[in-house]
Amino acid sequence: MLRIIDARTGEPVEAAPARRGLTRVQAHAVGYDTTDLRVLLVADVLVRALELGGTPVWALLTGERQQAELRAAATTLGIRPFEDSRDVSAGLGEAQVIHVVADSGPAPDGVRMAVAPVDQEAAAILEGAEPAVVRLALLSTHRSEPVRLDAEALQAARETLARWRRAVADWARRPSRAIPEEARGELRTAWEDDLDVRGVLRVLGWVETSDLPEGARFETYAYADRLLGLELTRDVGSVA
């Protein structure tokens, strides 16, 4: 069961308190900068985690300015579309509402997930970088910690992503095996603990060098990528 820390109280709350009940995830962006983009990314991963647990989700974006630019950048980063909160009516009987906000952003009533800032110098560095590399670099730091997206961070993410994609493409050539319960359990334990994506990445690092059958490692990575959205299976079937 996914639990998140409510930024208002510092206490854990259930992200989906009612079985099969609708959860509204509402991202709040003041404008368009790297911090607003990180807010949307965290909300996107939260939506994915809820859906993996079988929870119906209604994803909304509330913003003030430069929404077209923000949505375009979000699409490039693999963030799935959010409805515009101004174009929909409330009162659908949600079992839970979770607001995803920047540390210094709006403070709406209700459960809040706070997202630390991204250094504003990142914008120039990000130009020309592969979107999945940027996504991994952002996901490699817990959302409560500020992110410095410098050339070193992007290079580390680039090398990890390239290595994992090569490995996944190679494992895909072997007979498929079921995801080991230990690996599945470790992944779910990580992301159900306050959406600990960094913990998910650590599990994948363990699986990468484990003695698990290669087909099982492939299925584990493909499963985890439903949360991460890094296109880890992109090179499957490519010529070696």
Side-chain angles (χ1 to χ4, degrees), residues 92-103:
L92 292 185
E94 305 99 335
Q96 180 68 286
V97 180
I98 303 173
H99 299 277
V100 185
V101 300
D103 277 344

Side-chain angles (χ1 to χ4, degrees), residues 145-219:
E145 300 174 10
V147 173
R148 181 171 179 79
L149 277 185
D150 54 18
E152 182 179 352
L154 287 177
Q155 182 61 25
R158 186 178 297 110
E159 291 174 358
T160 297
L161 187 61
R163 188 179 72 251
W164 282 355
R165 283 175 172 171
R166 285 195 302 269
V168 168
D170 184 53
W171 298 334
R173 298 186 178 96
R174 308 302 193 272
S176 179
R177 299 287 184 89
I179 301 173
E181 285 306 312
E182 180 183 7
R184 185 189 296 273
E186 291 289 338
L187 288 171
R188 295 198 70 94
T189 296
W191 79 57
E192 290 181 352
D193 180 15
D194 196 29
L195 202 65
D196 183 9
V197 178
R198 188 166 51 184
V200 172
L201 296 174
R202 284 196 295 267
V203 174
L204 292 185
W206 163 69
V207 171
E208 179 186 11
T209 58
S210 71
D211 58 0
L212 294 172
E214 292 175 320
R217 281 184 273 177
F218 169 81
E219 296 295 347

Side-chain angles (χ1 to χ4, degrees), residues 16-208:
R19 181 174 174 81
R20 305 302 179 188
L22 177 67
T23 292
R24 168 159 47 108
V25 173
Q26 188 153 353
H28 296 260
V30 175
Y32 168 47
D33 62 19
T34 46
T35 298
D36 289 309
L37 197 57
R38 190 186 190 195
V39 167
L40 263 184
L41 176 59
V42 170
D44 177 63
V45 176
L46 174 60
V47 169
R48 291 168 182 260
L50 287 165
E51 290 177 343
L52 281 167
T55 299
V57 186
W58 187 26
L60 297 175
L61 171 60
T62 298
E64 298 177 9
R65 61 182 184 275
Q66 293 181 290
Q67 293 299 285
E69 295 88 341
L70 178 62
R71 288 180 182 277
T75 298
T76 300
L77 211 60
I79 296 170
R80 294 181 296 182
F82 280 62
E83 291 186 60
D84 190 330
S85 63
R86 295 170 297 184
D87 296 337
V88 297
S89 59
L92 292 185
E94 305 99 335
Q96 180 68 286
V97 180
I98 303 173
H99 299 277
V100 185
V101 300
D103 277 344
S104 58
D109 292 334
V111 176
R112 294 200 298 268
M113 290 180 70
V115 179
V118 181
D119 64 280
Q120 294 305 302
E121 296 178 0
I125 298 174
L126 298 184
E127 286 193 18
E130 181 186 350
V133 169
V134 177
R135 187 177 176 108
L136 177 56
L138 288 171
L139 292 177
S140 296
T141 300
H142 193 276
R143 68 172 186 279
S144 63
E145 300 174 10
V147 173
R148 181 171 179 79
L149 277 185
D150 54 18
E152 182 179 352
L154 287 177
Q155 182 61 25
R158 186 178 297 110
E159 291 174 358
T160 297
L161 187 61
R163 188 179 72 251
W164 282 355
R165 283 175 172 171
R166 285 195 302 269
V168 168
D170 184 53
W171 298 334
R173 298 186 178 96
R174 308 302 193 272
S176 179
R177 299 287 184 89
I179 301 173
E181 285 306 312
E182 180 183 7
R184 185 189 296 273
E186 291 289 338
L187 288 171
R188 295 198 70 94
T189 296
W191 79 57
E192 290 181 352
D193 180 15
D194 196 29
L195 202 65
D196 183 9
V197 178
R198 188 166 51 184
V200 172
L201 296 174
R202 284 196 295 267
V203 174
L204 292 185
W206 163 69
V207 171
E208 179 186 11

Side-chain angles (χ1 to χ4, degrees), residues 5-13:
I5 301 299
D6 186 349
R8 301 170 306 159
T9 64
E11 297 295 327
V13 298

